[in-house]
Amino acid sequence: MASSCFFSRAESVAQTANGLLPQNGSGLNELIAVAYRLSGWQGADWTRAVAVFLPCLILFAVIGLLALRLSSRPLGILFLIVSLSALAWGVNATIQSRRNDIRDLRLLAPVGLFEAAAKTDGRIFVNPSAYAHAALLAPGSFARIPNPEMIGRMCSSLALWREEDRTEPFSALIFTGNRIADMRPMIEGLSSDWHLARTDNHGLLFLRGTPPKETSTIESASSFKDPRSQAIFLSQSALVLDVIERQAEARKMMEKSLEIFPADASVLVNSAMLAASQKRWTQVQKNASAALKLTPDSVQARYLLALALLETNSISKAAIESTRLLGQQPYDPQVLQLQARVSRANNDSTAEIDALERLLSLEKKEHQDTSPIHIYLGQAWARKGFATQALANYESALQGNLSPVEKTQIQSAIQNIRQKSGPTQKVGP
């Protein structure tokens, strides 16, 4: 069961990066980070494996000793069943992990961006997605990077970022992750002395000064020795280009990645993501289905498949896939949002309400504005015929940040419900 940890380097990189952060809140991640400092990535892999191995060993020991001490045949049978189940699970997980494992760190973290930024010998600004990697890839510069709270505030306020830049100037800006599009207002507001110095498979690097000649990303792929790594690099790079609205170039690059190595799950998922961004839903369905054949447990592939089925009006099939997806990720906000959409299209108010209630609970814990969720809940309860619950959610929505048009629409809905329900309104459980 622990052997899959030796074939999932991406997880080791993620946990090590988080373990290097101050006050990360995870003792296991900190332990993995210490092992990485002492023994490199092999040490991180071994620490993750031991963290799986020891609890399993204790569980087997307890069941086995109880079966021996009590001379219990049922416990002995239970021990055998658990052993065989663990063996089957471990073998399957290891095979899947080995098939999809990525070893090259450049495909797992923005190595090139931080290496180039470090050459400026100045202060680096990163978006929230790049913060954890900063501790791993730029330890010498990490102390001068603003803390996550300050980064979040500056990302939402260009004026605040400019004030901080005047106080202690930045020499490099790094934007990575799947939320690069959120940085567009900041990018568009940069002064003329900033230029896009590097675009790679993880994100963007902006530097001050004269822009150098841009290197072709397809040419950069030649630095990887094996075709699979080249294809993964190109597919990742295509997603970055799509975010900065270079869609034609992104599509050409993705086609190149599929040409080089079409039988890789991550390449297929990335291709489906690009097609979804460009609303090519037939292609999304094709590539997501192909990825699921290679990795049946892929959450990303199943999400994209369910989304494509929904967008192409294959509602019953979308409902099947979204239900499976919910079983894999019952508390993922994006999954819950999709489940609510699919359930609404499928006229399943019960499933829609369940998904929205879970989403509401998660958003409240994160102190997010829950008005949109209350609006959808109000609509779902109204369609189901429960006036009291619908009114309660509409009134809660009115307490949030709504536009004048939205407030008028909700007030109209409340008035309609009260007129229709009268004194005999149905009250739910």
Side-chain angles (χ1 to χ4, degrees), residues 63-80:
I63 296 175
L65 289 173
L66 283 174
L68 288 172
R69 183 175 293 274
L70 299 175
S71 299
S72 171
R73 183 177 177 82
L75 276 178
I77 293 173
L78 176 63
F79 182 82
L80 178 62

Side-chain angles (χ1 to χ4, degrees), residues 8-70:
S8 51
R9 181 57 57 80
E11 189 64 27
S12 293
V13 172
Q15 290 188 260
T16 299
N18 286 323
L20 292 171
L21 294 177
Q23 300 176 345
N24 68 84
S26 172
L28 176 59
N29 287 350
E30 290 180 356
L31 191 61
I32 292 171
V34 170
Y36 165 74
R37 285 195 179 109
L38 294 174
S39 305
W41 291 119
Q42 287 188 343
D45 294 341
W46 270 100
T47 305
R48 287 180 54 231
V50 169
V52 174
F53 177 81
L54 286 179
C56 293
L57 177 65
I58 293 170
L59 174 64
F60 282 114
V62 169
I63 296 175
L65 289 173
L66 283 174
L68 288 172
R69 183 175 293 274
L70 299 175

Side-chain angles (χ1 to χ4, degrees), residues 206-224:
F206 286 86
L207 299 176
R208 278 193 160 106
T210 304
K213 181 180 178 182
E214 187 173 355
T215 303
S216 168
T217 305
I218 293 181
E219 291 177 4
S220 300
S222 61
S223 63
F224 296 90

Side-chain angles (χ1 to χ4, degrees), residues 368-381:
Q368 300 294 318
D369 180 22
T370 57
S371 298
I373 303 175
H374 280 296
I375 293 173
Y376 287 122
L377 274 170
Q379 294 170 350
W381 281 116

Side-chain angles (χ1 to χ4, degrees), residues 122-124 144 164-172 194 208:
R123 192 179 183 212
I124 302 172
R144 298 179 64 193
E164 182 72 14
D165 186 45
R166 284 193 296 269
T167 303
E168 188 178 355
F170 296 105
S171 63
W194 288 98
R208 278 193 160 106

